[in-house]
Amino acid sequence: MRIPEDIVFHTLTAFHEWFADQNRKNDYRVTVTPLDALDGWGTDAETGTLRHNSGKFFSVEGIAVDTDNGASWSQPIINQPEIGILGIAVKRVGYSYYCLMQAKMEPGNINLIQLSPTVQATRSNYTRVHRGNAVPYLEHFVSPAPGSVVFDSLQSEQGSWFLGKRNRNMIVEVPDWLPLRDNFCWLSLEQLTELIRIPNLINMDSRTVFSGLPFLDHGHRAAEADMPEPSGPARHPLGALLSWFTDAKARHRLARRSVPLRNLPEWTYSPGRIYRPDGRHFTVIGVDVQAGNREVAHWAQPMLQPVGQGVIAFLGRHFDDQFHILVHARTEAGTADVVEMGPTVACIPASYHDAPHANQPLFLDVVQQSEPADRLVDVVHSEEGGRFYQAENRYLVIDAGDSVPQEVPADYCWMTVAQLTGFVRFGNHVNVAARCLLSCMDDDIAEKTVAAR
């Protein structure tokens, strides 16, 4: 099939020129603003909860958490109960696919513009609560053509910062090239594989949808009705993995209750921001935004700003020449179903810089002491720029070898990459950090590690 010359980029150099032009031709300004000066937002007199005057979008509330292992804490958290759409339109060409991507500005993004899905919109956005412009290409996802949906799953967002938040992750195959609108482009999967290695270029919403790409039917990818099988012998069969995950959900307890935001222990609530005096975790700030090519040109909102760069890492090793990654059944304040499958390590190291070793995240020391030659993936990416201000994580996959034992604590389990990818099809199984890390992994990463041995 012939590809129209004016539809796709035939070189990445051409793409980078186009992408740089998106920054030049649009006027974006993001100004940090005191919380009590945010236009369109109000504070509950009794609790201090921050809410939009429309009653839509999201709120910032206080929550108290108790877990079965004795841990308890209080924190601000974003409550956004509506389900948004994160959708990518794909066009098949021979044995490859092209994805319709958007150069989208988000106020919290590093570099402001990043590549986002075809549609990235909350329900408040696409129902036009803000009275702004309609969301382009929305019709392909709210009313997809019969047989066009390749991947469709309700997926969780960051449980540390969102209360039970989910978005609908979708991949929809279209029969014809959709006409390009401003700020949109078609990129092949091969090009996107190269671009995802560039820091802060492909946004979090794209990366979580990309975790569903293995279910596309082309060439070296397999689209199966059931879970993909590993290329070699796995340490645990599917039934054992399901039993491990079910046991983790049954063993753990996660009790939450709403508490006044203005009276959280260990947090300072001020008119300008909400923060921890010890400098840990994150701060709630306000921003005032001007963006010429968004659905609305001007708005204000609260955002969460982490205190430092995070680390999201899988530790891996071989069993019978099959590369496995160590998956953590992880509980977070906002997790919808008690635990989800997450990376081996997911934390902000700066929050633990003076903590004794026993109080630091398990296996963080192995990640920090890893050698560059053992890092199969090592790239920095931004997190969700619509709610988090300049939040970055360093994504790592490390061949740790014998530095991680075969027998691991009960909340950890060895899986092949294909086994974990299979669970992505189901909601509330694989958390957003693990999905984004999977999207950064080459298809042949297991074969590479065997060859390197």
Side-chain angles (χ1 to χ4, degrees):
M1 178 182 292
R2 180 179 175 274
I3 302 174
E5 290 292 324
D6 58 344
I7 287 289
V8 302
F9 297 108
H10 294 282
T11 67
L12 286 181
T13 298
F15 161 76
H16 287 296
E17 291 173 351
W18 173 85
F19 193 73
D21 189 54
Q22 301 306 304
N23 262 316
R24 285 192 295 266
K25 72 180 185 180
N26 290 292
D27 182 23
Y28 303 114
R29 277 177 268 181
V30 179
T31 306
V32 175
T33 304
L35 292 172
D36 62 351
L38 293 179
D39 184 35
W41 292 78
T43 302
D44 185 276
E46 183 176 348
T47 65
T49 294
L50 295 166
R51 288 193 179 91
H52 193 263
N53 294 342
S54 68
K56 303 292 186 179
F57 300 106
F58 66 96
S59 59
V60 181
E61 305 174 2
I63 189 173
V65 181
D66 293 289
T67 65
D68 57 298
N69 63 5
S72 62
W73 70 94
S74 299
Q75 65 169 84
I77 199 162
I78 296 173
N79 187 0
Q80 187 175 343
E82 62 185 33
I83 293 174
I85 293 177
L86 306 177
I88 293 179
V90 298
K91 172 75 175 76
R92 183 171 182 167
V93 180
Y95 291 103
S96 186
Y97 280 90
Y98 283 78
C99 299
L100 182 59
M101 307 298 294
Q102 178 182 183
K104 186 179 181 73
M105 178 272 186
E106 293 285 2
N109 281 349
I110 304 294
N111 303 329
L112 287 180
I113 290 182
Q114 295 187 11
L115 276 181
S116 80
T118 314
V119 168
Q120 175 186 318
T122 66
R123 184 172 180 82
S124 292
N125 285 143
Y126 70 75
T127 57
R128 302 171 70 179
V129 171
H130 48 47
R131 299 181 181 178
N133 297 328
V135 175
Y137 308 107
L138 181 65
E139 65 275 12
H140 298 282
F141 300 92
V142 295
S143 301
S148 66
V149 177
V150 175
F151 176 69
D152 191 355
S153 182
L154 287 180
Q155 297 286 4
S156 60
E157 300 288 296
Q158 288 87 345
S160 294
W161 297 337
F162 278 118
L163 180 61
K165 176 73 175 76
R166 295 186 299 170
N167 276 319
R168 189 177 181 185
N169 286 211
M170 302 180 70
I171 297 174
V172 173
E173 185 174 352
V174 294
D176 301 307
W177 298 100
L178 302 181
L180 287 178
R181 304 197 187 192
D182 289 344
N183 310 314
F184 286 84
C185 68
W186 288 98
L187 290 164
S188 71
L189 291 187
E190 292 75 18
Q191 290 172 323
L192 289 165
T193 297
E194 294 294 321
L195 294 175
I196 206 167
R197 299 170 185 165
I198 300 175
N200 297 315
L201 176 60
I202 296 181
N203 78 359
M204 187 214 79
D205 295 310
S206 295
R207 299 194 310 273
T208 179
V209 179
F210 285 166
S211 67
L213 287 175
F215 302 105
L216 281 170
D217 179 20
H218 82 102
H220 55 284
R221 296 185 188 270
E224 302 284 349
D226 298 316
M227 297 173 61
E229 290 297 324
S231 57
R235 183 170 172 81
H236 303 294
L238 173 59
L241 298 181
L242 288 169
S243 180
W244 165 78
F245 188 50
T246 302
D247 178 69
K249 289 195 288 186
R251 281 188 293 106
H252 285 281
R253 181 180 67 88
L254 177 62
R256 295 183 291 236
R257 66 185 188 280
S258 295
V259 294
L261 182 62
R262 64 171 70 253
N263 297 324
L264 294 178
E266 301 184 293
W267 293 81
T268 295
Y269 186 103
S270 71
R273 62 191 180 115
I274 304 169
Y275 64 98
R276 286 180 62 108
D278 61 9
R280 297 179 187 273
H281 305 307
F282 62 88
T283 299
V284 182
I285 64 171
V287 295
D288 186 85
V289 185
Q290 294 186 28
N293 67 342
R294 286 292 301 265
E295 293 86 359
V296 291
H298 175 258
W299 75 93
Q301 66 174 91
M303 303 194 81
L304 271 56
Q305 180 181 22
V307 299
Q309 186 182 93
V311 168
I312 292 175
F314 276 130
L315 296 179
R317 62 171 294 173
H318 291 83
F319 296 99
D320 296 326
D321 286 332
Q322 175 68 32
F323 187 67
H324 287 63
I325 51 179
L326 188 57
V327 177
H328 181 199
R330 179 179 174 88
T331 298
E332 296 173 325
T335 303
D337 196 15
V338 186
V339 299
E340 290 186 328
M341 301 179 197
T344 318
V345 175
C347 69
I348 300 175
S351 294
Y352 301 93
H353 72 279
D354 58 353
H357 183 268
N359 294 338
Q360 295 188 7
L362 195 59
F363 300 115
L364 176 60
D365 56 339
V366 180
V367 173
Q368 293 177 322
Q369 295 165 17
S370 64
E371 297 293 334
D374 296 327
R375 298 171 194 157
L376 311 177
V377 172
D378 188 356
V379 61
V380 173
H381 283 304
S382 298
E383 295 312 301
E384 210 281 307
R387 300 293 176 262
F388 313 134
Y389 185 74
Q390 298 189 355
E392 285 184 312
N393 280 309
R394 185 179 179 187
Y395 284 81
L396 295 151
V397 178
I398 299 167
D399 187 353
D402 295 339
S403 62
V404 182
Q406 297 185 34
E407 302 302 323
V408 291
D411 288 340
Y412 294 80
C413 185
W414 292 106
M415 298 185 192
T416 66
V417 175
Q419 285 176 323
L420 184 61
T421 298
F423 284 115
V424 169
R425 185 182 290 276
F426 310 103
N428 294 327
H429 279 62
V430 183
N431 75 8
V432 66
R435 297 196 309 271
C436 286
L437 189 45
L438 283 172
S439 73
C440 297
M441 299 173 71
D442 291 340
D443 290 346
D444 58 349
I445 195 167
E447 287 74 12
K448 288 179 179 178
T449 60
V450 172
R453 299 173 72 195

